[in-house]
PDB file of all heavy atoms in Angstrom:
ATOM      1  N   SER A 110      -7.632  18.561  63.520  1.00  0.00           N
ATOM      2  CA  SER A 110      -7.494  17.348  62.725  1.00  0.00           C
ATOM      3  C   SER A 110      -8.570  17.187  61.665  1.00  0.00           C
ATOM      4  O   SER A 110      -8.267  16.839  60.533  1.00  0.00           O
ATOM      5  CB  SER A 110      -7.509  16.116  63.631  1.00  0.00           C
ATOM      6  OG  SER A 110      -6.443  16.187  64.541  1.00  0.00           O
ATOM      7  N   VAL A 111      -9.797  17.407  62.028  1.00  0.00           N
ATOM      8  CA  VAL A 111     -10.888  17.172  61.096  1.00  0.00           C
ATOM      9  C   VAL A 111     -11.109  18.388  60.194  1.00  0.00           C
ATOM     10  O   VAL A 111     -11.209  18.264  58.978  1.00  0.00           O
ATOM     11  CB  VAL A 111     -12.182  16.793  61.842  1.00  0.00           C
ATOM     12  CG1 VAL A 111     -13.344  16.627  60.886  1.00  0.00           C
ATOM     13  CG2 VAL A 111     -11.956  15.501  62.641  1.00  0.00           C
ATOM     14  N   LEU A 112     -11.159  19.557  60.785  1.00  0.00           N
ATOM     15  CA  LEU A 112     -11.377  20.767  59.991  1.00  0.00           C
ATOM     16  C   LEU A 112     -10.082  21.342  59.423  1.00  0.00           C
ATOM     17  O   LEU A 112     -10.118  22.272  58.638  1.00  0.00           O
ATOM     18  CB  LEU A 112     -12.102  21.829  60.830  1.00  0.00           C
ATOM     19  CG  LEU A 112     -13.495  21.444  61.325  1.00  0.00           C
ATOM     20  CD1 LEU A 112     -14.100  22.591  62.099  1.00  0.00           C
ATOM     21  CD2 LEU A 112     -14.393  21.027  60.175  1.00  0.00           C
ATOM     22  N   GLU A 113      -8.955  20.793  59.879  1.00  0.00           N
ATOM     23  CA  GLU A 113      -7.621  21.188  59.413  1.00  0.00           C
ATOM     24  C   GLU A 113      -7.342  22.681  59.598  1.00  0.00           C
ATOM     25  O   GLU A 113      -6.758  23.326  58.730  1.00  0.00           O
ATOM     26  CB  GLU A 113      -7.420  20.769  57.960  1.00  0.00           C
ATOM     27  CG  GLU A 113      -7.480  19.265  57.786  1.00  0.00           C
ATOM     28  CD  GLU A 113      -7.274  18.803  56.354  1.00  0.00           C
ATOM     29  OE1 GLU A 113      -7.194  19.652  55.447  1.00  0.00           O
ATOM     30  OE2 GLU A 113      -7.207  17.587  56.164  1.00  0.00           O
ATOM     31  N   LEU A 114      -7.770  23.214  60.723  1.00  0.00           N
ATOM     32  CA  LEU A 114      -7.437  24.586  61.051  1.00  0.00           C
ATOM     33  C   LEU A 114      -5.989  24.630  61.510  1.00  0.00           C
ATOM     34  O   LEU A 114      -5.457  23.672  62.054  1.00  0.00           O
ATOM     35  CB  LEU A 114      -8.365  25.117  62.140  1.00  0.00           C
ATOM     36  CG  LEU A 114      -9.838  25.215  61.739  1.00  0.00           C
ATOM     37  CD1 LEU A 114     -10.664  25.698  62.918  1.00  0.00           C
ATOM     38  CD2 LEU A 114     -10.025  26.137  60.554  1.00  0.00           C
ATOM     39  N   ALA A 115      -5.333  25.743  61.289  1.00  0.00           N
ATOM     40  CA  ALA A 115      -3.907  25.875  61.600  1.00  0.00           C
ATOM     41  C   ALA A 115      -3.636  25.662  63.081  1.00  0.00           C
ATOM     42  O   ALA A 115      -4.376  26.124  63.944  1.00  0.00           O
ATOM     43  CB  ALA A 115      -3.410  27.244  61.181  1.00  0.00           C
ATOM     44  N   ASP A 116      -2.558  24.956  63.361  1.00  0.00           N
ATOM     45  CA  ASP A 116      -2.106  24.752  64.731  1.00  0.00           C
ATOM     46  C   ASP A 116      -1.209  25.930  65.100  1.00  0.00           C
ATOM     47  O   ASP A 116      -0.532  26.498  64.260  1.00  0.00           O
ATOM     48  CB  ASP A 116      -1.319  23.443  64.820  1.00  0.00           C
ATOM     49  CG  ASP A 116      -1.013  23.046  66.254  1.00  0.00           C
ATOM     50  OD1 ASP A 116      -1.521  23.692  67.181  1.00  0.00           O
ATOM     51  OD2 ASP A 116      -0.260  22.082  66.427  1.00  0.00           O
ATOM     52  N   CYS A 117      -1.189  26.286  66.360  1.00  0.00           N
ATOM     53  CA  CYS A 117      -0.373  27.422  66.784  1.00  0.00           C
ATOM     54  C   CYS A 117       1.045  26.993  67.165  1.00  0.00           C
ATOM     55  O   CYS A 117       1.809  27.801  67.653  1.00  0.00           O
ATOM     56  CB  CYS A 117      -1.049  28.166  67.923  1.00  0.00           C
ATOM     57  SG  CYS A 117      -1.390  27.141  69.343  1.00  0.00           S
ATOM     58  N   GLU A 118       1.395  25.734  66.939  1.00  0.00           N
ATOM     59  CA  GLU A 118       2.749  25.212  67.140  1.00  0.00           C
ATOM     60  C   GLU A 118       3.327  25.539  68.512  1.00  0.00           C
ATOM     61  O   GLU A 118       4.463  25.952  68.652  1.00  0.00           O
ATOM     62  CB  GLU A 118       3.671  25.720  66.041  1.00  0.00           C
ATOM     63  CG  GLU A 118       3.232  25.287  64.663  1.00  0.00           C
ATOM     64  CD  GLU A 118       4.041  25.900  63.541  1.00  0.00           C
ATOM     65  OE1 GLU A 118       4.943  26.727  63.826  1.00  0.00           O
ATOM     66  OE2 GLU A 118       3.764  25.550  62.398  1.00  0.00           O
ATOM     67  N   GLY A 119       2.507  25.353  69.555  1.00  0.00           N
ATOM     68  CA  GLY A 119       3.000  25.509  70.916  1.00  0.00           C
ATOM     69  C   GLY A 119       3.114  26.946  71.397  1.00  0.00           C
ATOM     70  O   GLY A 119       3.520  27.191  72.509  1.00  0.00           O
ATOM     71  N   ARG A 120       2.786  27.922  70.577  1.00  0.00           N
ATOM     72  CA  ARG A 120       2.886  29.318  70.986  1.00  0.00           C
ATOM     73  C   ARG A 120       1.602  29.817  71.621  1.00  0.00           C
ATOM     74  O   ARG A 120       1.555  30.912  72.123  1.00  0.00           O
ATOM     75  CB  ARG A 120       3.196  30.210  69.785  1.00  0.00           C
ATOM     76  CG  ARG A 120       4.551  29.952  69.163  1.00  0.00           C
ATOM     77  CD  ARG A 120       4.638  30.731  67.915  1.00  0.00           C
ATOM     78  NE  ARG A 120       3.476  30.248  67.156  1.00  0.00           N
ATOM     79  CZ  ARG A 120       3.219  30.483  65.897  1.00  0.00           C
ATOM     80  NH1 ARG A 120       3.979  31.208  65.206  1.00  0.00           N
ATOM     81  NH2 ARG A 120       2.167  29.991  65.286  1.00  0.00           N
TER      82      ARG A 120
END
Side-chain angles (χ1 to χ4, degrees):
S110 300
V111 177
L112 298 182
E113 297 180 354
L114 296 178
D116 190 8
C117 57
E118 299 174 357
R120 295 172 303 191

